Amino acid sequence: MPLDDSTPTPPVKVRSETSRPSFFWLLAALIIPPFSLAVKFRFHGRPLPKTGAFVLAPNHYSEIDPLVIGVASWKLKRLPRFLAKASLFKVPVVGWFLRTSGQIPVERAGSRSHAALRAAEELAENGRMVVVYPEGSLTRDPDLWPMRGKTGAVRIALEGDIPVIPVAHWGTQELMPRYGKKIHPFPRKTIDVIVGDPVDLSAYRGLPLDPSVLTAATNDVMNAIAGLVGELRGEEPPAERWDPVVHGQKETGRLEDGAP
């Protein structure tokens, strides 16, 4: 008996990453209940893709940003894997959690700094989401706008031919100010998170990844992130990104008291 081609094929239900048993279930059980007492999320924009590899590129202005983005990613049904400072992996308990959950240690400099990009690309090859902060450090902009970006995020995306999805959050500074040493959980804070469309990097794909190409692509990503921050703040972002070098600032570590 011939098949009836007009019979619709039932849609295949795609399971989210967070619905599959993993070590992240333990992390979520330990972190999300107390975190939810301190933070209420409001999500805007588009959902994250349920499957497939991409680089998630957030703004960065508080030491607690990775926790905020990690919980937000979980709520958006993707497992958060980060490029994280290598020094954190040496902290008791914290380091064990980072290693067990597949986070990637980043050396600021030296021969092992390139290994982090290779590890992130391996995650991407396996269809994972990789969270990369293009700024590389907390923004130096005195008004907390995204500053000049570094090229790691776009290098991973262009070499792996995967999208970069910009994301922005605002309200985190009320939970923990930039360079603050204490969390302020009460009263409960509202943090707005907006996910943007993938950045159009088609003009750069297939080109040699020289500094000029990587810098131009990174500028496009930073402009997209700044635009999302502007939407959340109801303000127009600065026409130019803050550049620490131009302002005589170091690019990593904490700013000294009184620095702009």
Side-chain angles (χ1 to χ4, degrees), residues 98-116:
L98 291 173
R99 287 188 295 272
T100 307
S101 60
Q103 311 308 314
I104 303 168
V106 178
E107 299 285 353
R108 294 282 190 189
S111 60
R112 283 191 274 180
S113 60
H114 198 61

Side-chain angles (χ1 to χ4, degrees), residues 23-24 27 81 89 93-103:
F23 180 73
F24 282 93
L27 288 178
R81 292 182 174 88
F89 287 75
V93 182
V94 172
W96 180 81
F97 274 111
L98 291 173
R99 287 188 295 272
T100 307
S101 60
Q103 311 308 314

Side-chain angles (χ1 to χ4, degrees), residues 16 27-28 34 55 60 63 67 74 77 82 85 129 143 152 166 174 176 182-183 207 221 229 236 243 257:
S16 68
L27 288 178
V55 175
H60 196 16
E63 298 281 7
L67 181 58
W74 176 267
K77 308 302 183 184
F82 290 81
K85 289 188 294 187
M129 178 187 82
D143 294 323
E174 302 297 331
M176 182 181 237
K182 294 182 179 180
I183 298 174
L207 298 179
V221 170
V229 175
E236 191 69 25
D243 188 336
D257 291 340

Side-chain angles (χ1 to χ4, degrees), residues 43-51 54 56 76 163-167 193-199 228 231:
F43 290 99
H44 313 267
R46 52 176 288 151
L48 291 178
K50 289 185 177 180
T51 61
F54 59 91
L56 189 69
L76 292 170
V164 174
I165 297 180
V167 63
V193 177
I194 182 169
V195 179
D197 294 323
V199 180
L228 294 176
E231 285 189 47

Side-chain angles (χ1 to χ4, degrees), residues 134-158:
E135 294 165 270
S137 185
L138 302 188
T139 182
R140 268 57 175 146
D141 188 298
D143 294 323
L144 302 184
W145 290 103
M147 66 174 179
R148 183 200 66 184
K150 297 183 180 296
T151 60
V154 297
R155 179 181 287 277
I156 293 169
L158 292 173

